[in-house]
């Protein structure tokens, strides 16, 4: 009998956890041919999430949990889940039911009968999301598509079912700055995309502020393309050419018309403008340097405080 481990990152989700469990129990009923195991990752919640997990684990031995020493972020939670999960197939699912468990039987059917190593999902609509957030999300994916060779799909969720081999390869990417949507694409293999309409949260509220998403998107760009560095270099060349042309213009004008002293406001503008461009480029450089710095520290991606999984810890 195949075993599917479902990784569920949770951060302050005490209301959503029981609802999620009921939904997944129903899905398990529809899939008698597999053993579904739920692996909750408590990402340093400050509410009763861990209590809820423990309660469920007492009742049902298919419920496992890993609890962090503090909030490490969803990316770290997914990585922890992947390293603790031992199923033949592994799925990642949000606890708020925005990743419908009802898709799981279909995903399992595809991965076992067709030649795919992973079945992923993408939202084709963003109903119920603030329009400004959707707008920037779409811009981000359009930009990534142009800048990066790695396939990063618009509307892609972290919700996907993967084979053991796929997971093992993912685990080899032990980088500290994680952007899973890119990592999934980077490892390659054959991925089938299922599409579905956006579902609104079952309970609780979103943990992602606009600011958090913005930082996350920078993580994505810096992690998967070095194009901004090239852009900085091109900007430099561009301004050298502009400066050279301006120089020619000024020399010719001075020779023809003399040199009345004027134009300090335009000079100030130019200096400020170039100063801005330079700071911007140093900022880009700094961003890459900062990421490199964090990677070289080799800090662990997460710290597990307690778990009910009796296995050699990874
Ligand atoms: N999450 C997490 N750690 C965090 C933030 C979020 O584990 O620091 C989990 C959260 O509990 C949920 C999933 O990541 O299961 C997706 O979060 P959310 O639903 O808030 O994001 P949205 O669906 O609004 O993008
Ligand atoms: Mg959600």
């Amino acid at each position: 009998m195949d075993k599917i481990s479902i990784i569920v990152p949770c951060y302050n989700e005490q209301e959503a956890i029981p609802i999620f469990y009921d939904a997944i129990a129903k899905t398990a009923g529809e899939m008698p041919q597999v053993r579904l195991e739920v692996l909750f990752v408590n990402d340093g919640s400050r509410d009763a999430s861990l209590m809820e997990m423990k309660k469920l684990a007492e009742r049902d031995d298919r419920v496992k949990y890993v609890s962090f020493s503090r909030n490490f972020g969803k990316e770290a939670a997914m990585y922890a889940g992947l390293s603790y999960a031992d199923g033949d197939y592994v799925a990642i699912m949000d606890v708020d039911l925005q990743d419908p468990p009802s898709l799981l039987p279909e995903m399992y059917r595809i991965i076992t009968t067709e030649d795919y190593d992973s079945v992923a999902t993408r939202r084709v609509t963003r109903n119920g999301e603030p329009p400004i957030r959707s707008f920037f999300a779409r811009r981000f994916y359009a930009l990534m598509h142009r800048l990066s060779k790695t396939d990063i799909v618009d509307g892609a969720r972290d919700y996907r079912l993967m084979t053991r081999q796929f997971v093992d390869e993912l685990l080899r990417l032990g980088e500290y700055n994680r952007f899973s949507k890119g990592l999934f694409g980077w490892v390659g293999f054959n991925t089938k995309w299922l599409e579905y309409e956006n579902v609104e949260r079952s309970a609780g509220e979103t943990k992602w502020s606009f600011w958090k998403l913005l930082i996350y998107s920078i993580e994505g760009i810096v992690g998967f393309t070095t194009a901004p560095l090239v852009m900085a270099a091109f900007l430099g060349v561009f301004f050298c050419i502009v400066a050279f042309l301006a120089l020619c213009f000024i020399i010719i004008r001075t020779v023809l018309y003399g040199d009345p002293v004027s134009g300090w406001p335009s000079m100030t503008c130019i200096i400020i403008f170039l100063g801005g461009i330079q700071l911007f480029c140093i900022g880009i450089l700094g961003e890459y340097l900062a990421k490199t710095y964090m990677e070289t520290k080799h800090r662990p991606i997460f710290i597990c405080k307690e778990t009910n999984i009796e296995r050699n810890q990874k």
Side-chain angles (χ1 to χ4, degrees):
M1 191 153 88
D2 278 342
K3 175 167 159 187
I4 302 183
S5 305
I6 303 175
I7 298 167
V8 193
C10 302
Y11 177 51
N12 295 345
E13 301 279 9
Q14 56 182 10
E15 295 101 16
I17 289 171
I19 305 176
F20 175 83
Y21 175 77
D22 291 342
I24 214 70
K26 191 164 153 263
T27 307
E30 290 163 14
M31 304 173 74
Q33 74 280 29
V34 292
R35 179 179 161 83
L36 280 191
E37 193 176 272
V38 179
L39 171 51
F40 287 112
V41 182
N42 175 30
D43 184 12
S45 301
R46 294 177 177 279
D47 64 359
S49 296
L50 183 59
M51 288 278 296
E52 292 290 339
M53 292 172 193
K54 285 183 175 167
K55 250 196 277 176
L56 292 173
E58 258 168 41
R59 258 178 33 207
D60 188 341
D61 67 347
R62 294 171 304 176
V63 175
K64 306 278 184 245
Y65 62 84
V66 172
S67 184
F68 286 178
S69 59
R70 65 168 170 87
N71 178 252
F72 279 87
K74 186 184 177 189
E75 286 293 338
M78 290 195 286
Y79 181 77
L82 290 172
S83 48
Y84 277 93
D86 62 352
D88 304 297
Y89 297 94
V90 178
I92 298 177
M93 228 185 253
D94 281 3
V95 72
D96 55 10
L97 295 181
Q98 283 189 306
D99 298 333
S102 55
L103 287 177
L104 200 61
E106 171 69 0
M107 291 161 97
Y108 177 69
R109 191 192 60 75
I110 293 171
I111 211 166
T112 47
T113 59
E114 293 175 30
D115 187 25
Y116 288 108
D117 307 282
S118 127
V119 182
T121 58
R122 62 182 283 260
R123 298 186 289 186
V124 282
T125 57
R126 285 174 173 270
N127 302 337
E129 200 182 61
I132 181 136
R133 186 166 152 179
S134 304
F135 173 79
F136 279 108
R138 288 201 199 287
R139 291 279 70 72
F140 169 72
Y141 285 108
L143 185 70
M144 279 309 277
H145 189 72
R146 292 189 39 191
L147 290 186
S148 173
K149 287 196 197 78
T150 308
D151 192 20
I152 296 173
V153 181
D154 185 7
R157 303 284 301 173
D158 293 322
Y159 181 25
R160 59 166 70 216
L161 183 67
M162 297 162 272
T163 59
R164 187 74 249 164
Q165 187 189 18
F166 193 100
V167 174
D168 288 342
E169 294 305 331
L170 264 184
L171 284 172
R172 281 175 47 192
L173 307 182
E175 57 208 73
Y176 183 79
N177 298 287
R178 303 187 73 77
F179 184 73
S180 286
K181 290 184 175 76
L183 300 177
F184 292 142
W186 192 90
V187 293
F189 296 105
N190 290 336
T191 297
K192 165 117 183 168
W193 289 92
L194 297 183
E195 299 186 342
Y196 71 98
E197 304 263 322
N198 188 33
V199 187
E200 291 199 34
R201 231 174 194 282
S202 63
E205 55 194 41
T206 178
K207 307 294 175 301
W208 295 86
S209 61
F210 190 78
W211 185 244
K212 248 181 153 181
L213 279 175
L214 185 71
I215 299 214
Y216 187 56
S217 65
I218 293 177
E219 196 110 308
I221 294 172
V222 174
F224 282 89
T225 165
T226 48
L229 291 174
V230 180
M231 195 192 74
F234 274 120
L235 266 181
V237 173
F238 174 76
F239 279 106
C240 283
I241 294 171
V242 171
F244 182 71
L245 293 179
L247 189 72
C248 293
F249 171 76
I250 288 168
I251 289 173
I252 293 170
R253 199 186 59 173
T254 312
V255 168
L256 293 183
Y257 303 105
D259 183 23
V261 178
S262 69
W264 72 266
S266 52
M267 187 63 85
T268 316
C269 289
I270 292 169
I271 291 173
I272 293 177
F273 177 66
L274 287 184
I277 297 276
Q278 281 170 352
L279 284 181
F280 175 67
C281 292
I282 293 175
I284 292 177
L285 211 65
E287 198 58 37
Y288 283 91
L289 190 67
K291 298 289 179 212
T292 315
Y293 176 57
M294 291 311 285
E295 292 295 346
T296 54
K297 290 189 188 197
H298 296 296
R299 287 193 180 157
I301 297 170
F302 64 90
I303 294 173
C304 170
K305 188 174 171 202
E306 59 175 304
T307 168
N308 65 344
I309 301 176
E310 301 138 19
R311 255 184 342 112
N312 49 328
Q313 280 203 6
K314 288 199 186 152

